[in-house]
Amino acid sequence: MSLSVRRNVTAGAPAALVALALLTAGCAAQDDDTSSPQGSSTASATPHGYVEGAQEAAEQQSRLVLNDPVTGDTRTLDLITGRTQLTSRTTGATDLTTDGRFGYFPTEDGTRVLDAGTWTVDHGDHVHYYRAAIRDAGKLPAGPGARVRGDAAVTAVTDEDGRATVYRRVDLEEGRVGSPRTLPGTHAGAVVPYAEHLLTLTRDGSDGTPKVAVYDRAGGRVRSPDATCEDPAGDAVTRRGVVFGCADGALLVREDDGHFTAERIPYDRGLPAGERASSFRHRAGSDTLTAPAGDRAVWVLDVTERTWTRVETGPVVAANTAGEGSPLLVLETDGALHGYDIATGEPVARTGRLLTGDPREGEGTGGRGPVIEVDRSRAYLNDPEGSRVHEIDYNDGLRVARTFDLDMKPALMVETGR
């Protein structure tokens, strides 16, 4: 398999060794048996954080899942080693999404599930990073239009007719789909796992306006906020809660000690449908969301501050940001990546042309085309026509750190390991 990597990056081995030492010390402290009369430590039979069949690492184990819907070519690109791995073909995928570990490919005959073999477990005071073998995990019945959302315990699949089923995550981890549980009601958007519950917008009200509903993991309805969301489009999970895009702005649903509340974050004025935020992109774990605001602007939603900011840009193809003081990244129709200061709206950096073909090809076709994936230190931009992926250091003036040349067209791309 051909893959060449063009580099301009400093090796990070010392940092990885320090991280490994800290990780080992932090977890070892939890595994010590301090109840011994002699005050000695006794190792646990099963080490803290142990996952059968997986290798624990000192840093995030990021991989890109890549697909060409036309040919079915599918690859995983390991961002630690720079190597790709061939996986079974998936032809006709209408989209590609991830929950941080699994890649989901809706097709006419169901949604293929690929275990990308990298993921993160956050224990609050420390984090575990894992890598394992890449393998197929089966196929979900829902086809084109399926919306798949997951967390560490369950995967929720909502089909285009609004029917939702819930699968156990442990089954997917073992390489099989397992038996689903059907969630009652008809759902206006994706069913989103959050805080050991399932959040959704149902159409069960008398007037048909979608309304917030909360279910437990067994599918039982629990007390829900009295809130509606007209014309819903887009959702995102943040540290502050789940965001649903609505006609008048965003609806933030939060949990506190088992009690759920809903809060509106409205636009400052009424907007035509074409200028509303209808799909959100952000760095996993960030509270700063981005969405196109028509053809020549981007919305930035600061969930912490409950504010919308409209950044005027050139013609928008894709956008994202790492949040927390990082620039807004916008791929524009000139094929270059542009950086903007979110607070002022001023441009702060720009690359040369990074795309080979017309960047607008693939717009409006279920995500087939250039996207910007962002993690804590890098951004990734796929160039389908150029058969390559660019790695961008967004904290260094949008420097192109690496370019990965591939033997396929990466029209669909997601990052796992988060």
Side-chain angles (χ1 to χ4, degrees):
M1 179 186 321
S2 66
L3 168 69
S4 61
V5 182
R6 285 171 277 167
R7 295 176 179 268
N8 182 19
V9 63
T10 302
L17 292 175
V18 172
L20 178 59
L22 292 174
L23 173 66
T24 303
C27 293
Q30 296 190 24
D31 293 333
D32 285 347
D33 181 6
T34 57
S35 63
S36 169
Q38 291 79 21
S40 61
S41 295
T42 302
S44 172
T46 302
H48 172 71
Y50 172 78
V51 176
E52 185 176 1
Q55 176 185 357
E56 189 167 3
E59 59 183 337
Q60 181 171 302
Q61 301 296 292
S62 298
R63 288 173 178 164
L64 297 178
V65 180
L66 309 164
N67 174 261
D68 180 349
V70 177
T71 65
D73 289 334
T74 307
R75 307 280 188 273
T76 56
L77 170 58
D78 192 312
L79 296 170
I80 301 297
T81 66
R83 299 172 182 169
T84 59
Q85 179 171 323
L86 210 74
T87 67
S88 58
R89 291 177 179 270
T90 301
T91 305
T94 58
D95 197 2
L96 173 58
T97 60
T98 185
D99 54 15
R101 174 172 177 174
F102 297 93
Y104 301 96
F105 304 76
T107 69
E108 288 293 339
D109 61 347
T111 296
R112 176 197 175 189
V113 184
L114 176 69
D115 185 349
T118 56
W119 68 97
T120 297
V121 178
D122 189 347
H123 287 291
D125 61 342
H126 67 281
V127 179
H128 293 270
Y129 304 108
Y130 297 99
R131 59 188 296 120
I134 301 165
R135 62 179 179 177
D136 285 303
K139 186 174 288 187
L140 306 171
R147 289 153 291 185
V148 186
R149 306 290 186 267
D151 65 6
V154 297
T155 298
V157 183
T158 312
D159 68 20
E160 58 185 350
D161 295 323
R163 297 184 296 267
T165 50
V166 182
Y167 298 82
R168 297 196 316 158
R169 171 77 168 240
V170 68
D171 291 329
L172 295 179
E173 292 171 353
E174 294 176 355
R176 64 181 188 274
V177 167
S179 300
R181 178 184 296 112
T182 300
L183 201 66
T186 302
H187 308 278
V191 173
V192 182
Y194 166 72
E196 300 182 5
H197 288 76
L198 300 164
L199 303 188
T200 181
L201 300 168
T202 70
R203 296 189 183 277
D204 300 335
S206 58
D207 63 355
T209 301
K211 188 173 183 179
V212 174
V214 183
Y215 297 85
D216 61 29
R217 292 293 168 84
R221 188 76 171 261
V222 302
R223 186 174 181 179
S224 307
D226 184 15
T228 59
C229 179
E230 184 179 349
D231 193 20
D235 58 87
V237 179
T238 75
R239 292 173 299 177
R240 307 291 176 179
V242 176
V243 172
F244 293 103
C246 310
D248 60 352
L251 187 67
L252 175 63
V253 182
R254 305 182 64 192
E255 181 269 346
D256 183 15
D257 196 23
H259 178 64
F260 289 85
T261 60
E263 178 182 355
R264 295 191 182 280
I265 308 176
Y267 300 119
D268 59 4
R269 62 187 186 281
L271 295 172
E275 295 185 13
R276 300 172 190 163
S278 60
S279 61
F280 297 106
R281 295 191 69 86
H282 69 307
R283 176 181 61 78
S286 169
D287 296 326
T288 306
L289 310 182
T290 66
D295 295 330
R296 301 183 64 87
V298 174
W299 286 115
V300 179
L301 173 59
D302 186 327
V303 181
T304 302
E305 298 297 328
R306 314 292 201 268
T307 57
W308 291 95
T309 300
R310 181 185 172 102
V311 179
E312 302 295 335
T313 65
V316 179
V317 177
N320 209 334
T321 184
E324 299 177 0
S326 298
L328 169 65
L329 306 177
V330 183
L331 175 66
E332 302 185 11
T333 53
D334 60 2
L337 191 64
H338 298 250
Y340 293 87
D341 184 291
I342 294 174
T344 66
E346 294 298 316
V348 294
R350 179 185 182 278
T351 68
R353 184 178 180 87
L354 296 178
L355 297 190
T356 303
D358 183 346
R360 290 166 294 191
E361 291 182 5
E363 284 187 290
T365 57
R368 298 188 190 184
V371 296
I372 303 169
E373 287 284 298
V374 177
D375 59 32
R376 289 189 176 275
S377 61
R378 295 289 191 266
Y380 297 91
L381 172 66
N382 56 324
D383 176 12
E385 291 304 311
S387 296
R388 58 190 180 180
V389 172
H390 299 287
E391 180 183 74
I392 309 296
D393 186 346
Y394 53 78
N395 289 317
D396 188 15
L398 306 189
R399 176 176 60 88
V400 179
R402 294 186 289 182
T403 294
F404 301 93
D405 294 321
L406 308 166
D407 61 353
M408 48 86 69
K409 294 184 176 182
L412 298 174
M413 179 179 78
V414 294
E415 183 180 357
T416 66
R418 302 174 297 187

